[in-house]
Amino acid sequence: MRTTRKENEMKSSLSRCAFPVIILVLVGAVALSAWVQENPRTLYERARLLDEGNQNLEEAIKLYGQVADYSAKDQPALAARALVQMGRCQERLGQAEARKAYQRVLDEYPQQLEAVKLARERLAVLSQRAGDAGKPTFRKIRTPFTIP
């Protein structure tokens, strides 16, 4: 079977049209993925808004974790701040993971002095609370009358 000249022209025309369409689809996909993936600073601000009003601490914790993961190499100060805020949210919820968040700041971001200072303070408070948890507390009660 021989192909006619008209069939060859159609195939050639299709291949010329298909290439720009494929390129356009690929460029669109890259642009869409960049648009969908938020930058760490925007995620941090969203988490902070959720955190500030105690609106949704679980979601704030998740967003702070994403910020810490995304910006670990490029923006260590932001990552360390996010971990401290994540720990504070976990503390407010009574979660033991708060210690891990603070310890991670100390281990991974020792050069971020402000975040390290906050993490050390919070770890000290948590350790003090844990140490006091097993001890009984006594309080002297004064009554307006005497008991024989």
Side-chain angles (χ1 to χ4, degrees):
M1 276 201 326
R2 294 182 63 173
T3 58
T4 64
R5 183 175 177 211
K6 193 169 189 173
E7 288 174 339
N8 285 337
E9 286 177 11
M10 283 181 63
K11 286 180 184 178
S12 169
S13 173
L14 274 171
S15 64
R16 276 186 270 149
C17 290
F19 184 71
V21 169
I22 290 171
I23 295 298
L24 187 62
V25 167
L26 289 175
V27 168
V30 169
L32 181 64
S33 71
W35 180 71
V36 168
Q37 184 180 18
E38 296 182 78
N39 70 27
R41 195 163 298 283
T42 305
L43 286 174
Y44 181 84
E45 288 304 317
R46 279 184 42 209
R48 194 178 58 78
L49 290 173
L50 290 171
D51 173 10
E52 278 181 358
N54 282 338
Q55 295 176 10
N56 189 346
L57 292 179
E58 290 291 337
E59 183 66 21
I61 290 169
K62 189 185 320 178
L63 291 174
Y64 284 135
Q66 289 176 3
V67 171
D69 293 341
Y70 291 156
S71 58
K73 293 179 184 172
D74 300 335
Q75 301 172 1
L78 182 64
R81 246 184 311 158
L83 285 171
V84 168
Q85 290 304 117
M86 185 170 112
R88 295 194 60 104
C89 289
Q90 290 169 330
E91 261 188 87
R92 288 195 306 228
L93 291 174
Q95 297 176 349
E97 286 83 22
R99 285 181 178 281
K100 293 178 187 175
Y102 296 138
Q103 191 60 49
R104 190 170 158 197
V105 173
L106 299 178
D107 295 342
E108 296 178 19
Y109 305 101
Q111 70 280 10
Q112 302 302 321
L113 301 179
E114 185 178 333
V116 166
K117 178 184 172 195
L118 289 171
R120 280 196 179 119
E121 289 172 2
R122 298 312 310 158
L123 279 171
V125 169
L126 289 174
S127 294
Q128 185 179 17
R129 284 184 195 163
D132 291 343
K135 296 179 183 177
T137 57
F138 298 97
R139 190 169 34 155
K140 187 174 186 179
I141 301 174
R142 296 187 185 263
T143 59
F145 53 88
T146 56
I147 300 174

